[in-house]
Amino acid sequence: MVVIARRLAGHLARGVVMILVVATISFFIVRSIPGDPVAANVQKLVQQGMDQQAAEQATRVLYGFQPKGSLWEQYTQYMSGLLRFDLGQSITHAGAPVTQVLGEAAKWTVLPVLVGTLLSFLVGILMGVYAAIKRSGKLGDVLAISGSLLHGIPQYVLGLLLSAVFATLIPILPGDGPVDILFEPGFNAGYIGSLAQHAVLPVLTYALASYGGWILAMKSSVVTVLGDDFILAAELRGMKRSIIFRYIARNAILPLFTILALSLGLLLGGAVFIERIFNYPGLGLLLLDSITMRDYALMGGAFLLITVSIIVANILADLFYSAIDPRVRSGEEVSS
Amino acid sequence: MSVLLESSSTSAAMRRNFWAGVWRVMKRKPSRMVGAVLVLGFVFMGVFGPMFYPAQLPLDPTRITAPPSWEHWLGTDDQGRDVIALVVTGSRYVLLAALVTAVITVVVGTGIGLFSGFKRGRWDNVLMRLTDMKLTIPGLPLLLVLSTVWKFSSAIQMGLVLGLLGWGGVARAVRSQTLSLRERGFIEAARGLGLPTRHIVGKELLPSMAPYIAMNMLIAVTGGVYAQVGLFFLGVLPYESNNWGQMLNTAVFRSGALQVPSALGFLIGPLLAILLLTLAIVLVVDAMDEIFNPRLREE
């Protein structure tokens, strides 16, 4: 217990440092954008008839830091805003706070990512066990190669191919937007059905893109466990195959749970392509739009949120792993 | 003299054995031969491909985003240019940038991984913290945000940026390899003999890791292709020159290839190129895996 608490404290400290680093990166990027958007905004407001001080105040609210003063003053102001979860206001979303805009978008990313990842995890693990046991056979070979291929193909190629086939050539699924605008939002069959229909292709793309990785990871994990002494011992004792199989699967799956937690964090950032292709209004599309619209406060916020989700996933993965694997719990530094 | 002769003849024999092993692995699965041929094909296309076409590809205003036909096997783009010609001439930018990415990724990653794993101690701690940090910051979003400041104007610059952002994984992997190798007998013997670090790293560690590093380099090539094509596809970079990502972007967001089936060829061209390149590299890496890891050659 003490060990876990100490690990947690270490992770939290490291996570906070990471968040500070990323916030610093996005601050300096906004500061170094050519054309100085912050000063331009003050000037624009002054030209619209605002006095200098009010214009500066309005710009501060927009970007989260004072347009005047030394770099250090601007930086501390930005960071203190961050502590209050104040990321400034979005220019493109009628001046709504960035945090609110991010919250709106996050739900469109989280659900498809979650469903797609879990789906591919389940199928990939089953296929991975099979590929490991039959690894000298034809089928095992085909599974392994298909795994490497799917693992290797970039998300956007999969997304474009699926969209081209199922939304254009054989138009059986919608490939644009999260829902039909015909339906009244709310708990009615039409709206929910339309939501589900629009989610099929994005979810399928997530699932296919990560499925190859699961096969490969599970296969190599199972192959390692197969070589362990306790499996040999179980075989020599003449245990039933089904029990041996359960031994193998249970031991092989442990490291994969860690990857699962990590990939959930990573996919939030990788959603950019899928959301762009299927015009799905999640965090990735928000980040992209904020860049093309030059909405810098929103851009920094989206980037920060995506990073925070990865950091949190990292911490959860490690805690989870030490909770389920006694070897990590007792040994602390088993191998460095 | 005789010692010298003997050693050179054994190394020649070893080399012959090695190539015989390569040949055996290739022959056992013809798919690997396909991979090697495809990789060579892509190299040829990147180096010589653009020479087969005029600098300005001929436009055909009567055939704008035309579907595939006899003259244009994959149709034409929104200016009436042949899609296959665009894929071939666009390959140079893509492959050159990917090569630069891979070289930088592997050189920086191997350097840091070797140093960190071999020296251990405080330097190791600092470098690995840094690597972890790099691995945590999401690559694609960071690239997108950076695109507001940087313009990635040439293929080499593009490769440079991607390489400098991509070494984290290789550094971690090389470090763990180094850690396990340095405990092996032959390295300990070399250390016991008091050989200089330069010798141990250059003559003992690096050669035994070379195959692993080569595989990482091939994988980094695909990573470099995906990242840059993706950035151009998303349209956050200014139009520089003809390349696959630019084609995808134009096909999808300007010619509506996902709405109008006649423009599909325009989309399929670059997609096919990326898929074939992935296939080629996966097959070659698979073969290399078996050549260098004899344990994988199970009966």
Side-chain angles (χ1 to χ4, degrees), chain A residues 14 17-18 21-22 25 29 32-34 135-136 141 145 148-149 152-154 156-157 160-161 163-164 167-169 176 266 269-270 272-273 276-277 287-288 291-292 294 296 299 303 306-307 310-311 314 336, chain B residues 29 120 129 133 136-138 140-142 144-149 151 175 179 225-227 229-231 233-236 248 252-253 257-261 264 267-268 271 274-275 278-279 282-283 286 298-299:
Chain A
R14 239 171 287 161
V17 172
M18 274 300 303
V21 168
V22 170
I25 293 177
I29 284 177
S32 61
I33 282 167
R135 67 187 182 287
S136 347
D141 229 35
I145 287 280
S148 318
L149 260 183
I153 296 173
Y156 55 88
V157 172
L160 286 172
L161 283 176
S163 179
T168 311
L169 283 179
D176 192 61
L266 276 177
V272 180
F273 289 117
R276 183 75 182 94
I277 292 167
L287 176 67
L288 208 55
I291 289 167
T292 40
R294 300 289 179 236
Y296 297 116
M299 177 183 91
F303 180 47
I306 289 171
T307 316
I310 292 175
I311 294 168
N314 268 311
S336 64
Chain B
K29 283 189 196 156
R120 311 282 300 267
R129 270 297 124 72
M133 211 169 259
T136 311
I137 297 179
L140 178 71
L142 180 63
L144 290 175
V145 171
L146 279 180
S147 73
T148 56
V149 194
K151 283 306 160 228
R175 174 177 173 271
L179 282 179
V225 171
Y226 301 159
V229 171
L231 281 177
F233 164 63
L234 289 175
V236 293
L248 284 179
V252 173
F253 302 118
L258 291 178
Q259 280 88 45
V260 226
L264 265 181
L267 179 71
I268 298 298
L271 284 187
I274 296 171
L275 282 175
T278 311
L279 180 71
V282 164
L283 290 174
D286 173 57
E298 14 103 26
E299 273 67 58

Side-chain angles (χ1 to χ4, degrees), chain B residues 18-72:
Chain B
F18 173 76
W19 286 113
V22 170
W23 182 241
R24 209 168 42 241
V25 167
M26 291 293 226
K27 217 166 45 182
R28 219 156 49 79
K29 283 189 196 156
S31 60
R32 291 164 176 171
M33 215 88 90
V34 176
V37 170
L38 276 175
V39 166
L40 289 179
F42 273 103
V43 172
F44 183 80
M45 180 158 103
V47 177
F48 300 107
M51 294 176 194
F52 294 107
Y53 294 97
Q56 278 295 324
L57 289 176
L59 307 176
D60 187 351
T62 60
R63 287 168 173 276
I64 281 170
T65 50
S69 62
W70 265 119
E71 292 134 275
H72 307 287

Side-chain angles (χ1 to χ4, degrees), chain B residues 168-198:
Chain B
V170 178
R172 264 238 163 269
V174 167
R175 174 177 173 271
S176 63
Q177 285 263 316
T178 311
L179 282 179
S180 86
L181 276 178
R182 81 197 289 274
E183 305 306 330
R184 301 269 176 83
F186 69 104
I187 300 289
E188 268 186 35
R191 269 211 308 261
L193 284 172
L195 291 172
T197 311
R198 192 161 37 88

